[in-house]
Structures are given as C-alpha cells and as structure tokens.
Amino acid sequence: MKNCLIFFCMILLTSLISFAQNSNELMIYISPEGNDAWSGALPEANESKTEGPLASIQKALEKVKNIRNSDAGDKTIRVVLRGGTYLVNAPIVITPEQSGKKDNPTIFENYQNERPLISGGVKITSWNKEDNKYVADMQTINAGKLSFNSLWVNGERRQPARIPNDTNPFGDYPSKQEFFTAKKYEYIPESENQPGTLKVFYDEKDPIQNWESLTGSYCVLFCKWAVPLLPIRSVDTDTKCLYLNVPKNFWFAVIFSEGQRFYIEHLFEGLDKPGEWYLNRKEGKLYYIPLPEEDMTSAEVIVPVVEQLLLLEGKPAENKFVEHILFKGIEFAFTNFPISEQGQFDPQAEVSVSGAIQGIGARYCVFEKCSIQHVSNYALWWRSGSQNNIIRQCHLYDMGAGGIKIGETANAETDGSPSPSTVEEKSLYLYKELGITGCGHNTVENCFIHEGGRFLRAGIGVWIGRSSYNRVAHNEICDFRYSGMSVGWCWGYDPSSAHHNIVEYNHIHNIGKAQLADMGGIYTLGISPGTVLRNNHIHDIMCDPEQYGGWGLYTDEGSSYIVLENNIVHHTLTGNFHQHYGRENRVVNNIFALSAREQIIRSREEDHISFIFERNIVYYDNDRLLGSNWTNKKWQMDKNCYWNASGKDVMFKNKTLKQWQEDGFDVNSIIADPMFENPDKCDFRLKESSPAFHLGFQPIDVSKIGLYGEEDWVKLPEKYKRIPCPISSK
C-alpha cells in the first residue's frame, strides 16, 4: 500500500511539473489532412472526425492574431506543422498583430521528426508523347496565364532549351563552344517614339537564324559582373544583328565590351537535348525531353506559381514591427521570378531581385534548422527596419539568384548629427544609430548556402548592403557564379551606413565557375570602419579566364578601415588579395597561397596609405608575386614571409628583397619556406619549426572554420558532387 501511494504521488508530481511547464503555452496544430473548421487543438483527427488539426497556415495565423488580442496574448504560441506539403498560391503574410513577446514568442515548428514543406509549385502529371518530347497542356493552371522560368523534375532543376547547348550543368566551367560572340554593341536609349534597344552584332560564324520562336526567347549576356536577361525583339541575319529589349534602369556603358559571350534561352528550336524544357506561352504547352532514366508516368515535375512564399510585413516608419517569431524545422520551396517584356537587369549581384522569404520591419525573428530550396529568386531578404534577426543552421540551395540579402542599397536615416565636412571626418563618420528604418544587428550562422545563380547568374551567397553590425559566421558558401559574399554598397569615399560587419570562420569555395569577372570570395565596397574579415577559408575562385578578377579577398571602390586577418586564401585564378582602391585597410596574419597568376594586387594609386600588410605568409610557384601598380610607395609592408616554391627568385616588381627594403618595405620580412604540413594537398598548417613564428605569425585553426554541430550536419556538404575547379587539381 505504501509503495502504491509513493507511485501515485510520483505520477501526480510529474503531471504537476508538466502542467507548470506547459501552462504558459498554447498549441495550434496544422496538417495537410486537417480541416479549417476544426479548432487545431489536436495533432490528428479524433475518431468521429469532429475535431483535429487545421488545414492551412492562413487559418492558424487568424487564430494567433485573435489570441494575441485576448487575455491569453502573453503566452507562447506554438503552431505545429505536421509533415506533408502546404501548397500556397499567394505569399503567407505575417503582420505585427501576430508578433510574439520576448519571453513568449510565436513559434512555427515541425511536428516530431516530420518535415513540413511550404511549396509554391504545382505538379504536372498529364503528358502526351510527341516524337522524343513529352507535352503537357498548361491551360488549366492559372487560367492558362502561367509564365515561369524554372522547372524541376524529381527534385532537380532542369535547363530551359538553349542554343548553343551547354556541356556541364548550368554552364559550370564552360567552353567557347557553349556561346555565341558579341562583336560589338549599340545602345539606343528609350525615346517617345520607341523603347530602349540594345543592338548586338554577332560573329558571322554564329549560326543564328530567324527562328519562329525567337521573339519569345531571351538573350543571356555574360557582361563582366552582370548577366542581363533581355528579350529578343528581332534579328537581321544580313547585318548579323540581334535587337533586344532593355529595362529602364539599363546601365550600358560600364559592363559591355567587344567579344563578350552570350547564348539564347527559352527557344523551341533549341529543344534538342535530354533534360531541356520549353514553355510555349501563347499556346500554354510545356515541352520536355526526359533524361534516359526518367519515366514520365511517375516523374514528379513541378513548376512554380508564386514569386514569394512568406512575407513578414512590419511598418517600421510607423514603429510597427513583426517581432519574436521563430521558424524551426520547416522547408520552403518552389518560387517563380517573372521577366518583364523589357527584360531583367541589375548592375551587380542581382540586387533588385526579391526573396522567397522577405522581411520588412522584422525584429528578433529566427529561422533555425529550416531549408529554402528550388527557388527562382533569392532565398531570404532582410529589408528596411529588420534588426536583431538570426538565420541559424539553415540549408539554402538551388537558388535562381542568391542566398541571403541584408539591407537596402540606400543609406539608413541618420541620427541627426551634422554632416562631416573634411575628407578625414567623412572617412571616419559613422551613423551612431540605425534608427527604426535601418537594417542591422542580424546574424547568419552555421548555414550551408550553395548552388546559386542558377537562373539569374550574378546572385551571390550573402549580400550585405547599407547595413551595419551584422555577423556572418561558420557558414559554408559555394557553387556561385559571382562572388561568395559582398559587404557594403558604396562606390568611393562617401559615408555609408555599412560598417562594423563581422565575417568570420566561413568556408567559401568554388566561386565564379569561369563565368563572370571582377568578383571575389569576399568582396567589399566603401568606407566600413569596424568591419572585420577573419578566420575564413577561401579557395577555388575562378573568373572567366579571358577576362579579369577572380580574387580571394577583394577590397574594391573605396573599401577603407577594414581588418582582414587570419584568413587562408589559396588557388585563385588572378590573385589571393586585391585592393582596387581604399584607405588604411589592415591585412594581417593571413596565408596567401598558389594563385595561378599574381598573388597580391594593388590597383589605383592615391595620396594616402592604401593598406598595411603585416605578418602574412605568401607562398607561390610562379614568378608573379605582385600585380598592377606599386610605384607611389603609399603602402606599408613588414614582418612577412615570402617563398617561391618553384625555386625561382622572390622578386618585388623586379626588385630583390634588399632593394625592396632600401625603399622602406618589408624591412623585417624574410624569404623562407614557411614549412606547411602538405601544401600540395592544401594542408597549410605550419610545422613547429616554421620560421614564420619568429615574425610573430599566429597559427590559424582550420578546425574551427565552417559548419559545426551534429555529425550529419557537418558532413552534409560531402553529399554534393561538383565539377572540380580547373585551377586546382586538389
């Protein structure tokens, strides 16, 4: 009897503890098998089918809003999504009324090891075979008005029909045979009588014809650091000229030059290769040539029907924010990005492109262990007024443009301080507060971000615009056609509200893919005091080999007062560190190794110290140590270790070390083998007897770089195969 009483008390105590732990929480369940007429109080339907989970996220949001406006508004609200697909035909919108509290957030999370998918795509199932092609009637989807630029078969993105064909998926490391050649351009600006036009004169050897579907196709132009996607209006086969539509924001003069490459996409006459597809927008028919292993009776073919999946819509100018929202364990997939009749063009980084998930006035919001994949735009964009948000351990991949954008392209509002007058004051000027419309204090940590630029080729892994106090750490970023990261958005020495950004412990690799130019593993712009790039591992950075600019660390266009320290940069095409122009950047305690061309590049010469270069190891195997301009002596270099593994002399712009030292540079530097463990296998750890230690060089712990956590998560990148970068045999 005594034992029974003890057992009963233990059960009662456990129940009381459980009740105490959960009494401050309210649960709402959603399931694809649910019903919006039910309360959502149960994870599955009862036996009588009178009660159970809701069917839609929109209905759950109505309940969240009602709860927040009730006496229970201070409780934690958990919206639990059962596994399965939640198809949306318009973005899910979360407003300030659904915000949580600091200690009692609104949580959207997966149910017990299940993976819910919020999808903006529909399946195409009815196919008819015509010769080697399969055809589906699209008239029943969106009343036959559907227009999309991406398509997925069995979870893999497929290439729109193009001429010439590519030899590798999405043109990775392309050959000359994959392109036509633009011999010259003529730009005719918009006028009252005609729209803007770009005339592209192509090579007489290019077999371009006046194909029937040509006027419904796009010209994909690879122009240094941008890839305009321009509709073709007509062709003159006599003069070898394409007439292209252009958008109003068309920036012609800088990015176009003779000999650039292009191909034609979304062309029915180009539908000749397995894995290609074509949408006849006029007839509403979808054509596809399956791969040999694909059975179209069972293949899952998905086309996107919405541009955005989730919007966090605050009103920061009115001091109204979406706050304390947590998303955990949820998948987001399948979005469209429409191209207008004038085409799509951004001057850099596909900066105007929307995010599949987008926040304005979002604060203290978290995405944790979520995935965003198979999108045609950017995965996520924190816009104006978005502060103190976190993206943690998320998997972002197969993106039409890029991964994550933080901030806007214009300065945040100032704090009312007077504008600085002198150059020195401008250089050190900071906006003291972000204000309610500023964007900053956001974190991107422990994320795997890869396979970008699949449709809009100049998208990048993480872009930080005029935004400050952000931290990007412990991520793996790879397989982009332009830069891995971009920090700042200001050309020259005007004050910028992009400063105090920390980029650390990231693994950035396989960037460029020999497609674009003037890019880097990490690319910076403008004055940015307090910004630090440290402990990053950057390698396999390859631009278009016939152009310029596949650099590891690239301080461009007035980049100033930035610290670059403890980074390992190796196997780049055109240089491991390049400063175009800037002021007093500190390049300290880095390893720069085995660039295929120059190792360290300094371009524009100005009447101030461009950078301080100290305690670095520069290891190379050619005769190209320093590149570009080194004449005005406005730089500082000392305590560095240089070594030419080819056996050739180490020369500083045709000067010996002694002659270089007589000019006042590298007075305490040495020419010596740094004694890496195994540089041939990219093991740049230093042996204990390394002479670099006598210069004050501090070891860089590679084990702390990149992803961390569960073994499955850390090893996830190993599951993705990529074409090896041609500049590295490692």
Side-chain angles (χ1 to χ4, degrees):
M1 182 69 179
K2 182 178 179 182
N3 290 337
C4 291
L5 182 60
I6 294 173
F7 180 73
F8 174 79
C9 290
M10 289 178 64
I11 293 176
L12 179 61
L13 180 60
T14 302
S15 300
L16 289 172
I17 292 173
S18 177
F19 178 79
Q21 288 177 335
N22 297 308
S23 61
N24 203 36
E25 291 188 356
L26 294 174
M27 309 292 286
I28 301 173
Y29 293 95
I30 316 175
S31 170
E33 285 76 44
N35 188 323
D36 279 347
W38 295 339
S39 70
L42 300 176
E44 55 188 341
N46 58 15
E47 291 185 5
S48 59
K49 305 295 183 182
T50 58
E51 183 57 277
L54 301 174
S56 70
I57 298 170
Q58 290 83 352
K59 187 64 177 180
L61 285 170
E62 289 182 20
K63 287 187 172 291
V64 170
K65 181 179 178 180
N66 292 335
I67 293 170
R68 290 299 180 200
N69 290 328
S70 71
D71 293 339
D74 289 335
K75 294 180 180 292
T76 294
I77 302 175
R78 291 185 179 272
V79 181
V80 182
L81 283 72
R82 300 296 306 265
T85 299
Y86 298 84
L87 180 62
V88 297
N89 53 21
I92 298 166
V93 179
I94 297 180
T95 64
E97 290 79 6
Q98 284 123 3
S99 290
K101 310 292 182 181
K102 180 179 179 180
D103 297 320
N104 299 102
T106 300
I107 301 172
F108 297 84
E109 63 183 352
N110 64 310
Y111 179 85
Q112 298 178 6
N113 301 318
E114 297 180 359
R115 293 293 286 183
L117 170 65
I118 297 175
S119 171
V122 297
K123 296 180 181 180
I124 308 301
T125 56
S126 299
W127 295 93
N128 296 311
K129 189 174 182 181
E130 294 183 4
D131 299 324
N132 67 331
K133 304 176 183 68
Y134 282 79
V135 186
D137 189 348
M138 309 295 288
Q139 294 292 332
T140 58
I141 300 177
N142 282 13
K145 298 179 180 179
L146 183 64
S147 178
F148 52 87
N149 296 291
S150 300
L151 176 141
W152 292 268
V153 180
N154 296 332
E156 294 183 353
R157 185 186 294 264
R158 293 290 180 252
Q159 169 66 49
R162 57 169 279 182
I163 292 180
N165 283 325
D166 56 346
T167 55
N168 292 322
F170 301 97
D172 287 354
Y173 306 111
S175 64
K176 290 183 179 180
Q177 290 69 36
E178 296 178 41
F179 297 95
F180 298 128
T181 302
K183 296 181 67 175
K184 69 174 183 177
Y185 301 92
E186 289 183 12
Y187 175 47
I188 304 172
E190 182 181 13
S191 66
E192 292 183 3
N193 299 323
Q194 64 179 20
T197 302
L198 181 67
K199 296 170 67 176
V200 177
F201 293 88
Y202 56 89
D203 193 280
E204 56 272 6
K205 296 179 182 179
D206 293 336
I208 295 175
Q209 304 173 30
N210 191 9
W211 294 293
E212 185 177 345
S213 69
L214 188 68
T215 55
S217 64
Y218 302 136
C219 188
V220 184
L221 289 160
F222 287 75
C223 304
K224 298 177 183 176
W225 58 86
V227 186
L229 206 64
L230 304 179
I232 298 176
R233 188 186 306 160
S234 63
V235 61
D236 186 331
T237 55
D238 293 330
T239 61
K240 307 295 182 184
C241 179
L242 287 168
Y243 291 78
L244 311 179
N245 292 345
V246 294
K248 291 184 177 180
N249 65 337
F250 198 56
W251 188 32
F252 170 74
V254 177
I255 65 168
F256 289 94
S257 59
E258 293 181 2
Q260 289 175 325
R261 306 176 298 175
F262 71 94
Y263 59 81
I264 297 173
E265 193 171 68
H266 290 282
L267 184 77
F268 182 70
E269 288 80 3
L271 186 61
D272 58 1
K273 180 182 176 183
E276 287 187 335
W277 62 275
Y278 171 76
L279 175 64
N280 187 319
R281 293 172 171 84
K282 293 181 179 179
E283 297 179 1
K285 290 185 178 181
L286 174 64
Y287 295 81
Y288 179 65
I289 301 178
L291 295 173
E293 66 273 16
E294 290 174 345
D295 180 357
M296 296 307 292
T297 63
S298 60
E300 182 184 68
V301 181
I302 294 180
V303 300
V305 296
V306 296
E307 180 178 342
Q308 296 177 290
L309 299 171
L310 175 64
L311 301 178
L312 281 62
E313 288 195 346
K315 297 179 179 179
E318 300 176 18
N319 205 24
K320 296 179 181 179
F321 298 91
V322 177
E323 298 181 301
H324 302 294
I325 306 283
L326 168 63
F327 299 89
K328 186 173 182 180
I330 300 173
E331 296 185 8
F332 300 85
F334 304 117
T335 63
N336 188 31
F337 186 79
I339 303 298
S340 73
E341 292 182 358
Q342 284 71 46
Q344 168 64 23
F345 169 75
D346 273 304
Q348 190 170 304
E350 308 293 1
V351 71
S352 72
V353 175
S354 60
I357 297 173
Q358 196 162 286
I360 295 177
R363 303 197 305 192
Y364 305 102
C365 295
V366 178
F367 286 83
E368 182 176 313
K369 295 186 177 182
C370 293
S371 67
I372 308 172
Q373 68 260 16
H374 310 321
V375 296
S376 299
N377 37 7
Y378 268 85
L380 192 149
W381 186 2
W382 293 128
R383 303 199 62 177
S384 61
S386 295
Q387 301 174 16
N388 297 287
N389 302 296
I390 298 173
I391 306 171
R392 180 192 297 124
Q393 198 173 330
C394 289
H395 188 192
L396 281 56
Y397 66 100
D398 183 28
M399 296 157 292
I404 296 168
K405 291 198 293 181
I406 301 173
E408 304 284 356
T409 57
N411 277 340
E413 295 180 4
T414 70
D415 62 352
S417 299
S419 177
S421 56
T422 67
V423 173
E424 288 75 15
E425 287 174 340
K426 285 183 178 180
S427 299
L428 293 171
Y429 180 66
L430 303 179
Y431 295 111
K432 295 179 182 179
E433 302 290 341
L434 293 172
I436 59 175
T437 62
C439 179
H441 295 286
N442 300 295
T443 298
V444 180
E445 183 171 1
N446 197 25
C447 294
F448 183 24
I449 306 171
H450 62 111
E451 296 178 25
R454 297 293 208 175
F455 166 50
L456 303 166
R457 280 80 179 173
I460 62 176
V462 177
W463 177 88
I464 299 175
R466 300 284 182 100
S467 179
S468 301
Y469 302 105
N470 301 289
R471 179 172 177 262
V472 182
H474 290 284
N475 305 288
E476 180 153 348
I477 301 172
C478 58
D479 297 314
F480 284 83
R481 284 103 190 103
Y482 186 50
S483 296
M485 279 197 62
S486 180
V487 183
W489 194 256
C490 183
W491 282 255
Y493 294 112
D494 289 335
S496 166
S497 57
H499 51 80
H500 287 86
N501 290 300
I502 305 299
V503 179
E504 60 184 358
Y505 296 100
N506 299 287
H507 184 195
I508 302 172
H509 61 98
N510 288 86
I511 301 298
K513 299 286 189 175
Q515 295 186 27
L516 291 170
D518 204 89
M519 40 74 64
I522 303 177
Y523 171 85
T524 64
L525 285 165
I527 293 175
S528 194
T531 290
V532 181
L533 317 179
R534 63 190 174 206
N535 295 93
N536 301 288
H537 183 194
I538 302 170
H539 61 92
D540 293 300
I541 312 298
M542 185 176 182
C543 64
D544 175 357
E546 295 186 359
Q547 296 201 50
Y548 66 94
W551 299 299
L553 293 169
Y554 180 19
T555 46
D556 192 18
E557 295 287 349
S559 295
S560 299
Y561 309 111
I562 299 171
V563 175
L564 305 90
E565 63 183 3
N566 302 336
N567 301 288
I568 300 175
V569 186
H570 61 93
H571 288 101
T572 61
L573 181 62
T574 61
N576 293 315
F577 168 69
H578 171 217
Q579 178 154 312
H580 178 194
Y581 69 95
R583 185 168 187 162
E584 296 182 27
N585 295 305
R586 295 188 58 83
V587 187
V588 181
N589 209 89
N590 302 281
I591 293 173
F592 298 116
L594 300 171
S595 173
R597 299 179 189 172
E598 290 81 10
Q599 310 304 307
I600 309 299
I601 300 96
R602 178 179 181 268
S603 296
R604 184 183 297 183
E605 300 203 314
E606 300 173 294
D607 288 332
H608 53 245
I609 297 298
S610 55
F611 54 74
I612 299 94
F613 192 89
E614 294 182 346
R615 287 190 287 112
N616 300 289
I617 297 173
V618 184
Y619 180 96
Y620 61 113
D621 58 3
N622 56 27
D623 57 357
R624 303 166 78 171
L625 174 58
L626 303 180
S628 201
N629 300 311
W630 299 80
T631 58
N632 73 349
K633 301 183 180 181
K634 295 292 185 178
W635 67 88
Q636 297 176 7
M637 301 177 79
D638 202 10
K639 298 181 181 179
N640 300 297
C641 176
Y642 301 96
W643 186 246
N644 191 335
S646 72
K648 297 179 181 180
D649 292 336
V650 174
M651 302 296 291
F652 301 80
K653 298 297 284 188
N654 298 319
K655 294 182 179 181
T656 65
L657 177 60
K658 183 178 179 181
Q659 292 170 327
W660 186 250
Q661 290 172 331
E662 289 172 353
D663 287 340
F665 305 112
D666 283 305
V667 174
N668 298 293
S669 297
I670 60 174
I671 295 175
D673 186 344
M675 302 182 69
F676 293 127
E677 286 287 348
N678 193 339
D680 291 338
K681 293 189 176 181
C682 303
D683 185 348
F684 297 104
R685 292 174 300 161
L686 293 172
K687 296 178 180 178
E688 292 183 1
S689 54
S690 171
F693 292 136
H694 298 294
L695 301 172
F697 188 89
Q698 299 298 311
I700 301 171
D701 188 352
V702 181
S703 67
K704 295 182 179 179
I705 296 174
L707 306 180
Y708 64 86
E710 304 93 333
E711 184 177 5
D712 289 348
W713 173 248
V714 173
K715 291 188 174 182
L716 179 60
E718 298 176 9
K719 296 182 179 180
Y720 290 85
K721 296 180 181 180
R722 65 179 56 87
I723 300 168
C725 180
I727 61 172
S728 172
S729 59
K730 311 300 183 292

